[in-house]
């Protein structure tokens, strides 16, 4: 069994927060597609990039908090 203070990558990227990226990027792409702009592949690329950016921000946030978490 691992100690409670070990770092877990899956927990650090916080997959539950991806709904924010999917909703924000998805709404914009759906509205653009409804009005005849863009295409489906570009829409999927934008949503995928939004999810990757969300994961990166989560990791950056954990990296900044790591000294505080280790001192406990």
């Amino acid at each position: 069994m691992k100690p409670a203070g070990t770092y877990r990558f899956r927990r650090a990227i916080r997959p539950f927060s991806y709904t924010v990226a999917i909703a924000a990027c998805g709404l914009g792409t759906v509205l653009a597609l409804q009005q005849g702009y863009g295409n489906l592949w570009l829409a999927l690329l934008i949503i995928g990039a939004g999810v990757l950016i969300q994961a990166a921000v989560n990791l950056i946030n954990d990296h900044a908090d790591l000294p505080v978490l280790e001192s406990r």
Side-chain angles (χ1 to χ4, degrees), residues 2-64:
K2 294 181 181 179
T6 59
Y7 182 82
R8 293 183 184 234
F9 183 75
R10 184 175 168 105
R11 186 172 181 192
I13 60 173
R14 298 183 196 116
F16 63 86
S17 69
Y18 297 163
T19 56
V20 174
I22 292 169
C25 296
L27 178 62
T29 56
V30 166
L31 290 174
L33 289 171
Q34 274 185 336
Q35 295 181 7
Y37 299 104
N39 60 36
L40 182 61
W41 294 113
L42 184 59
L44 293 174
L45 182 65
I46 290 170
I47 293 171
V51 169
L52 288 176
I53 290 170
Q54 182 70 40
V57 168
N58 290 341
L59 289 173
I60 291 168
N61 186 30
D62 274 7
H63 178 70

